Amino acid sequence: MSEKMGALRKYLPTALWIGGLIVLYLVLRALFAPHASGINLSSQMILARIREISLFLGAIAAVMVVIEVYFYQIFFRHPSHTLTTVIVRLIQGVLGLIAVLLIIAFFDLTDLIRLPEGPFRSFVLLPTSGFAAFQKFLVAAKVVPAGQAPLVAAVLLLVVLGLLFFLIQRITEPRASRVGLAYLLVIPAFVGVLFLIIYPFLFEIKLAFSNASLGTQATKNASYGLQYGWQNLVTLFTGNVAKDAKFFEVLGRTVLWTVINVTFHVTGGMVLALLLHRPMKLQGFYRTLLVFPWAIPTTIAAMALRNEFDLRYGFFNIMLNNIHNFFAGLSTKVALLSPVFSWLAANIGPVSWKQDPFWAFVSILISNIWLGIPFMTVIILGGLQSISHEYYEAAEIDGASKWQMFRNVTLPLLRPVLTPAVILGVIWTFNKFDVIWLITQGGPQEKTDILVSSMYKAAFQFYRYGFTAMFALVIFFILLGFTIVYLRVTGGLKSATE
């Protein structure tokens, strides 16, 4: 009986979660089904998308497994004699060469490099052309239909690789390696960084030195050279970055936007963190409640806030109108303070949040400040919890006031936490595109655009791809310069005790 109860306790939470998710799906389906007319979504479509995603993720997993096994056998397997050494090193060398050729072919296919026609290009494309020829062979031999040839060819290729790895495993002996495990753990991250960070960054650098635009069909007919990069740079600093806005005008607005946001984020986060760090009832509830603005997807929050700034029906104008009516009523009832209340009633009222450039900028500031304070609060609260109470007890014995303890104990010990938080806050806020685009789209008259939103317009409204790439590089170096200067001035890389 006890074993049955133990099994029940073990699997009951999982069963409840599954049941809850099924109920949630049925409830949502019942709610949205009456409003889903015109939406074409069938089980076949869902299964087809799931199949595509599964194949994509499966391909990534298979490639990572092949890479890990390849390097595992290099570091942890050792050939037993000369003949096996030749066989193993030959197989590993050929596989390594094929991997290098595939990477170069990928760079050529995506226009990062352009290999000239000739024997070398044919040699580099040999693995990809061989794979394509193998697919044609399978189709011509009527082994598989044309639509399934790539998948079957990939599976057969994996089988061949598996047999080669099995052969190496059988003719080699285990050996110890001091660095092998470290390399095996780092390689997946390196592959991700190579294709998700290094490759896009190199492509952006190349694109910045081109005249790529809609007229050149993006990179298809684009020309590359230092003269195009210089021309893009001169145009960026002297011409229009989007429609009418100038670079330094938008840069000044971006700096103002960043300074105001980060100042409020750090100050508000510090105040709330200090309040939540004290012993109080329902402390966990308040901390959970505080995370909600940060946990809500920015897109949803920004679209909701956009409606709250509506001229007639928005929350902010309704509240301002109520305050206006309140002071207007007091001005007629309290004769002694009638001039004061009349002045307040005349200067407080509904605001044209979307039509007036100043108030449009204030609206996106309010939105982003509300969204950003919870993150900084959580970071600072974690730093406060890591500070030992012994420091405060020693300061209290020395007769330090609350302000002195905050200034000489709390702030220095929070430096290792605040430095990366402030740097991340500046970088994120400097590049905060979604809030601005979803609430004002840079309007009215581009007066709420910051650098990143102007860059978006240059790329996707005016199709100036080479110019946009140079624009992005300038933003990158601005933020890189800020980070270096900030770290040197604040000593942020030092420990709290240095």
Side-chain angles (χ1 to χ4, degrees):
M1 184 68 180
S2 60
E3 294 180 358
K4 292 183 179 180
M5 291 299 295
L8 181 63
R9 289 196 185 101
K10 182 179 179 180
Y11 296 110
L12 183 60
T14 303
L16 290 176
W17 271 107
I18 294 174
L21 291 174
I22 293 174
V23 170
L24 179 62
Y25 166 75
L26 294 175
V27 170
L28 291 176
R29 183 175 178 179
L31 289 173
F32 290 110
H35 309 285
S37 58
I39 299 177
N40 186 16
L41 184 64
S42 62
S43 58
Q44 290 81 5
M45 295 175 62
I46 295 174
L47 291 175
R49 299 292 85 77
I50 292 175
R51 180 175 176 272
E52 290 177 1
I53 295 172
S54 301
L55 289 175
F56 176 72
L57 296 178
I60 294 176
V63 170
M64 294 310 303
V65 168
V66 169
I67 294 174
E68 288 288 285
V69 173
Y70 176 80
F71 282 99
Y72 164 79
Q73 292 182 339
I74 287 179
F75 287 109
F76 292 99
R77 305 295 297 184
H78 178 67
S80 57
H81 49 80
T82 305
L83 180 61
T84 56
T85 300
V86 173
I87 295 173
V88 169
R89 297 311 178 207
L90 179 62
I91 294 173
Q92 291 174 341
V94 171
L95 292 178
L97 178 62
I98 291 174
V100 172
L101 294 180
L102 287 173
I103 293 174
I104 297 175
F106 172 76
F107 289 163
D108 177 70
L109 177 67
T110 55
D111 278 342
L112 179 61
I113 59 176
R114 286 184 177 179
L115 297 175
E117 295 293 338
F120 180 71
R121 176 180 169 82
S122 301
F123 177 71
V124 169
L125 299 180
L126 189 61
T128 55
S129 58
F131 186 73
F134 183 54
Q135 294 180 48
K136 292 180 181 178
F137 170 76
L138 293 176
V139 175
K142 298 183 179 180
V143 178
V144 292
Q148 297 180 2
L151 178 60
V152 174
V155 171
L156 292 176
L157 179 61
L158 288 176
V159 171
V160 172
L161 288 174
L163 292 175
L164 290 175
F165 289 142
F166 178 74
L167 174 63
I168 294 175
Q169 194 76 10
R170 291 299 301 269
I171 63 177
T172 55
E173 298 174 351
R175 70 169 178 178
S177 175
R178 292 188 301 172
V179 298
L181 180 60
Y183 277 104
L184 290 180
L185 295 175
V186 168
I187 284 169
F190 173 76
V191 172
V193 169
L194 174 64
F195 286 100
L196 298 178
I197 297 178
I198 297 177
Y199 164 74
F201 186 69
L202 293 176
F203 187 83
E204 180 185 337
I205 293 175
K206 180 186 177 182
L207 192 61
F209 291 88
S210 74
N211 64 344
S213 63
L214 184 63
T216 63
Q217 294 181 312
T219 60
K220 185 176 180 180
N221 300 317
S223 299
Y224 299 87
L226 292 176
Q227 68 273 21
Y228 298 110
W230 176 252
Q231 183 180 354
N232 289 332
L233 195 62
V234 171
T235 304
L236 175 64
F237 290 129
T238 60
N240 296 335
V241 292
K243 185 180 180 181
D244 299 315
K246 302 292 185 180
F247 175 81
F248 290 102
E249 173 194 351
V250 181
L251 175 61
R253 189 182 305 120
T254 306
V255 172
L256 181 64
W257 155 267
T258 305
V259 169
I260 293 175
N261 272 291
V262 175
T263 301
F264 274 93
H265 290 168
V266 175
T267 305
M270 180 71 73
V271 171
L272 289 175
L274 290 171
L275 291 174
L276 291 173
H277 190 55
R278 301 179 305 162
M280 64 174 69
K281 294 181 179 179
L282 301 176
Q283 188 181 59
F285 171 75
Y286 292 132
R287 291 181 179 180
T288 304
L289 194 64
L290 184 68
V291 177
F292 276 167
W294 183 43
I296 298 173
T298 306
T299 303
I300 297 174
M303 293 180 70
L305 286 167
R306 179 182 62 186
N307 295 326
E308 300 304 334
F309 290 109
D310 185 79
L311 181 62
R312 294 182 60 187
Y313 305 109
F315 168 79
F316 294 100
N317 271 0
I318 290 174
M319 293 300 297
L320 289 172
N321 189 54
N322 290 338
I323 295 172
H324 167 80
N325 294 335
F326 173 73
F327 284 126
L330 287 178
S331 65
T332 59
K333 296 178 181 178
V334 184
L336 183 63
L337 297 176
S338 178
V340 175
F341 291 131
S342 297
W343 182 86
L344 290 173
N347 289 277
I348 297 177
V351 171
S352 299
W353 296 103
K354 298 180 181 180
Q355 291 76 28
D356 187 286
F358 173 78
W359 289 112
F361 189 68
V362 171
S363 70
I364 58 176
L365 282 173
I366 293 172
S367 303
N368 201 57
I369 289 170
W370 180 78
L371 289 168
I373 285 179
F375 168 76
M376 203 63 70
T377 302
V378 171
I379 297 297
I380 296 174
L381 185 58
L384 290 173
Q385 291 174 339
S386 67
I387 300 175
S388 173
H389 288 284
E390 295 176 357
Y391 296 108
Y392 297 105
E393 293 171 359
E396 191 174 0
I397 292 173
D398 291 338
S401 64
K402 294 290 185 182
W403 168 250
Q404 290 173 326
M405 284 191 284
F406 174 75
R407 181 181 177 184
N408 299 311
V409 177
T410 304
L411 283 182
L413 293 176
L414 280 178
R415 185 177 61 189
V417 175
L418 277 177
T419 297
V422 170
I423 291 175
L424 285 175
V426 169
I427 293 173
W428 290 344
T429 306
F430 201 91
N431 292 325
K432 195 67 173 178
F433 169 78
D434 46 7
V435 170
I436 292 174
W437 190 255
L438 290 171
I439 294 179
T440 66
Q441 292 189 346
Q445 297 142 10
E446 299 181 292
K447 296 301 182 182
T448 58
D449 267 327
I450 61 174
L451 289 178
V452 69
S453 60
S454 293
M455 184 181 69
Y456 174 86
K457 290 180 179 179
F460 299 106
Q461 291 185 358
F462 300 98
Y463 308 105
R464 304 160 68 188
Y465 303 122
F467 171 84
T468 304
M470 182 59 72
F471 200 163
L473 281 181
V474 170
I475 293 176
F476 167 77
F477 283 111
I478 290 173
L479 292 174
L480 179 63
F482 162 78
T483 303
I484 294 173
V485 171
Y486 182 81
L487 289 175
R488 287 185 177 275
V489 171
T490 63
L493 295 179
K494 299 178 181 179
S495 66
T497 56
E498 290 184 40

